[in-house]
Amino acid sequence: MNLKLTCLALGLLCGLPAFADTVTNAPAADPDTIIISTAHPLPVKEKKLRQAVFDRCQEMLNAPAGKFGAHPSAAVFPGPVAPGTPRISKTITLSHVPPSDAMLRLISPLDFSDPFAPTMYSTGLYAAPGEVIAVDVPAELAGKLQVKIGCHEDNLNEWVAATEAWRRLPLLVNDTALKTTHTLASNPFGGLIYITCPTKEAAWTADITISNAVMSPQYVLGRTTDKEWEKMLADSGAPWGEMGSSKIIIMLPTAVLKKIHDPARRMELWNNVIGAEMDLAQLPMPFYRAQRLVTDVHIGGGFMHSGYPIMVHHCPELGMSTEDFISNPEQFAAPANGGPNWGFFHEIGHNMQNQDWVFDGTTEVTVNLFSLYCFDKIAAGRDNAHPGVSNAGTQKMLAKYFSKKADFKKWQSDPFLALTTFRLIQNDFGWDLYKRTFVRYHALSDAERPKDDQQKRDLFVRYLSETAGRNFAPYFETWGISLSRDLRQELKKYPDWMPYNFPPKKI
């Protein structure tokens, strides 16, 4: 997933440590019986065993339904189905609507959101580890859909996780094509059941029946009553469930969901966060699909990373506690100091970043405009939002950077220094300038989109200047950000803009 390559710095941006391979005790050496957990991870030095486990996971997940039973590690993560839980058959009415041509133009540049990954449709069902489920679809949909079992998609044999001791098995999710009207599927590790459909597939509405599954808690804002929610929580033996809305769907352990007795309030707060992020990006609501978010004991890299779904570490043993924030978003209003609320705003912001205005060195920079916007609009101010935007820290960064000749490479290597460039504009012009600038990108055709980094820089400064009626070229060049000669000449028709006392003078 290309988004992972751009979100690596989040652990540093959130002030979190890197987690090295510090384990000395190796688990049992049989891939079929190995149990990997936070207490007994699989160390990096066990290279042959790790490869054997990875290969066995691939084999098991790609095998015909029922060939493999439950893997013992499933009892630790994602977790077991409670003994005595009934297996049920359920018919669900699902509808798919592809994005309109206008929406496709908006979502195509949102690379970090994995915008064309197959859309996941929740079923409110869970597949027990190793047990075979049956999926029945109408004839007209045969060959067009898949059934996905599991939501913990990150492959731990790549990216940062490949250099860390594994705290769970490296692969947990499988997808089975629904080639005929009746399909059998299973997963030795179990998982929430989804029907997936290619994003651009033609519209359809259908009744789909899933058999021999376990009911899992599924709260849908505006549809599920409090009484229905409490009954789901009391009756379900599934280890995972969901709460969601038209804007965001969150996958959490049932043990966490059982603590939530006001799900409507919680989802309305989450809707407010998504609404704020999309407001800054000037993306329309309703969007073509809800954002998705899931917690995991071990993800590919960072404290969290963007995508579909957004992946979030929850491993209290290593100082990463996030499920309390997710289940109680009222905590977002508290001072963050670079904590989980900053991280959530940041990762959702990645999903909103338009690649046409993200030039080299600004992936982990402009994303934090979304963090700041959320603090301003959701948390009523950015005091203690993050050490990197504190007054003292900002003054120190500016003084150090401008004590020498501006250096674009140094600027690119320091996300909070670079963020200051954009913050000083927002200080003078407010958020509206960014909104009016961002919305201009929505009208770009494929032929008009910038083709290289120089074009990206030029177009961003052009749109910013034209929108404000001020010449921002001298300001960006003072930072060491090079612009083309043609653009510099063209923008001279506007009065120059510089922040007061910039570059800062010593007091």
Side-chain angles (χ1 to χ4, degrees):
M1 298 167 67
N2 61 356
L3 59 94
K4 292 181 181 178
L5 300 178
T6 64
C7 301
L8 178 59
L10 181 56
L12 297 176
L13 295 180
C14 291
L16 294 167
F19 300 102
D21 176 33
T22 58
V23 181
T24 56
N25 56 317
D30 184 348
D32 287 330
T33 59
I34 192 169
I35 298 177
I36 303 175
S37 66
T38 301
H40 298 286
L42 183 54
V44 173
K45 65 182 181 181
E46 299 288 341
K47 296 185 186 302
K48 289 185 179 180
L49 178 56
R50 281 165 71 104
Q51 189 61 49
V53 169
F54 179 79
D55 292 344
R56 192 61 164 166
C57 284
Q58 282 192 311
E59 180 184 0
M60 297 174 82
L61 290 168
N62 293 321
K67 181 176 180 179
F68 294 97
H71 191 283
S73 241
V76 179
F77 191 87
V81 169
T85 300
R87 275 50 173 172
I88 64 171
S89 177
K90 180 181 178 182
T91 299
I92 310 129
T93 301
L94 298 177
S95 294
H96 171 76
V97 178
S100 65
D101 289 343
M103 182 66 77
L104 284 172
R105 189 170 65 241
L106 300 185
I107 66 177
S108 292
L110 308 182
D111 286 358
F112 301 144
S113 70
D114 210 356
F116 298 114
T119 298
M120 299 166 62
Y121 291 102
S122 302
T123 65
L125 295 170
Y126 196 91
E131 294 188 12
V132 177
I133 64 169
V135 184
D136 293 283
V137 300
E140 62 269 21
L141 289 182
K144 296 181 178 180
L145 310 178
Q146 290 188 316
V147 58
K148 178 188 292 290
I149 301 178
C151 58
H152 300 92
E153 300 242 26
D154 277 9
N155 175 355
L156 303 189
N157 205 34
E158 61 183 18
W159 198 31
V160 181
T163 68
E164 299 173 326
W166 291 343
R167 299 187 290 279
R168 64 158 170 84
L169 289 169
L171 297 172
L172 293 174
V173 176
N174 63 351
D175 297 274
T176 302
L178 302 178
K179 297 179 181 179
T180 63
T181 58
H182 182 77
T183 304
L184 302 180
S186 65
N187 182 317
F189 317 115
L192 288 166
I193 301 171
Y194 300 92
I195 300 298
T196 67
C197 178
T199 305
K200 299 179 185 179
E201 182 64 53
W204 53 264
T205 296
D207 289 340
I208 295 174
T209 300
I210 300 175
S211 306
N212 197 41
V214 173
M215 186 272 289
S216 65
Q218 182 190 21
Y219 178 85
V220 181
L221 182 65
R223 192 176 79 191
T224 309
T225 67
D226 287 349
K227 186 175 181 180
E228 289 171 334
W229 176 239
E230 294 296 338
K231 181 171 174 51
M232 285 182 202
L233 294 175
D235 293 349
S236 178
W240 287 79
E242 294 185 344
M243 57 181 189
S245 70
S246 62
K247 294 183 176 68
I248 185 168
I249 300 169
I250 301 170
M251 296 84 105
L252 284 169
T254 301
V256 175
L257 295 174
K258 284 186 174 183
K259 301 175 184 177
I260 300 173
H261 303 290
D262 55 350
R265 166 69 176 163
R266 308 294 173 93
M267 291 315 304
E268 285 164 357
L269 290 170
W270 271 107
N271 277 355
N272 201 23
V273 172
I274 301 299
E277 304 251 6
M278 297 185 77
D279 181 48
L280 180 58
Q282 289 293 282
L283 291 169
M285 291 184 288
F287 208 36
Y288 74 112
R289 66 185 181 194
Q291 303 289 317
R292 281 187 174 270
L293 186 151
V294 59
T295 61
D296 196 330
V297 71
H298 200 167
I299 68 174
F303 183 30
M304 312 175 190
H305 72 69
S306 57
Y308 183 77
I310 295 169
M311 298 299 299
V312 180
H313 258 127
H314 178 75
C315 187
E317 296 87 346
L318 294 179
M320 297 182 289
S321 295
T322 54
E323 289 175 353
D324 57 335
F325 274 81
I326 295 171
S327 61
N328 183 16
E330 289 183 348
Q331 296 185 69
F332 285 165
N337 202 33
N341 38 5
W342 177 278
F344 285 116
F345 298 155
H346 175 110
E347 289 309 329
I348 297 168
H350 271 308
N351 278 8
M352 307 294 167
Q353 276 182 303
N354 184 319
Q355 291 306 297
D356 292 336
W357 48 254
V358 178
F359 57 86
D360 190 23
T362 63
T363 294
E364 296 295 343
V365 178
T366 54
V367 65
N368 285 324
L369 292 174
F370 292 93
S371 298
L372 292 174
Y373 189 75
C374 283
F375 275 102
D376 285 355
K377 304 300 181 180
I378 303 296
R382 61 186 74 167
D383 289 350
N384 296 317
H386 195 289
V389 297
S390 67
N391 289 339
T394 300
Q395 291 175 23
K396 185 178 294 185
M397 285 188 295
L398 287 171
K400 182 178 180 180
Y401 184 70
F402 287 108
S403 66
K404 299 178 181 178
K405 183 180 178 181
D407 183 335
F408 185 44
K409 288 186 177 180
K410 287 184 179 179
W411 184 91
Q412 289 176 306
S413 69
D414 189 336
F416 284 103
L417 171 70
L419 180 61
T420 306
T421 304
F422 299 92
R423 286 172 52 209
L424 293 178
I425 295 172
Q426 192 272 328
N427 286 348
D428 274 18
F429 292 90
W431 287 114
D432 189 58
L433 176 58
Y434 282 117
K435 293 181 187 180
R436 291 189 292 136
T437 298
F438 291 158
V439 79
R440 295 189 63 178
Y441 285 85
H442 298 340
L444 291 176
S445 67
D446 286 344
E448 294 169 326
R449 294 178 63 186
K451 303 300 187 294
D452 57 37
D453 206 60
Q454 184 65 62
Q455 289 184 12
K456 285 186 179 185
R457 294 195 300 271
D458 281 0
L459 188 61
F460 183 79
V461 176
R462 176 192 299 279
Y463 278 178
L464 205 64
S465 298
E466 290 175 350
T467 304
R470 304 295 295 272
N471 180 8
F472 285 98
Y475 172 68
F476 279 90
E477 292 204 305
T478 300
W479 282 99
I481 301 168
S482 65
L483 303 170
S484 69
R485 179 181 299 179
D486 288 347
L487 179 69
R488 294 198 306 270
Q489 285 297 119
E490 186 176 341
L491 294 183
K492 285 183 178 180
K493 62 187 176 184
Y494 300 113
D496 291 354
W497 175 80
M498 282 282 181
Y500 182 74
N501 191 36
F502 181 84
K505 310 294 189 298
K506 284 188 177 181
I507 298 177

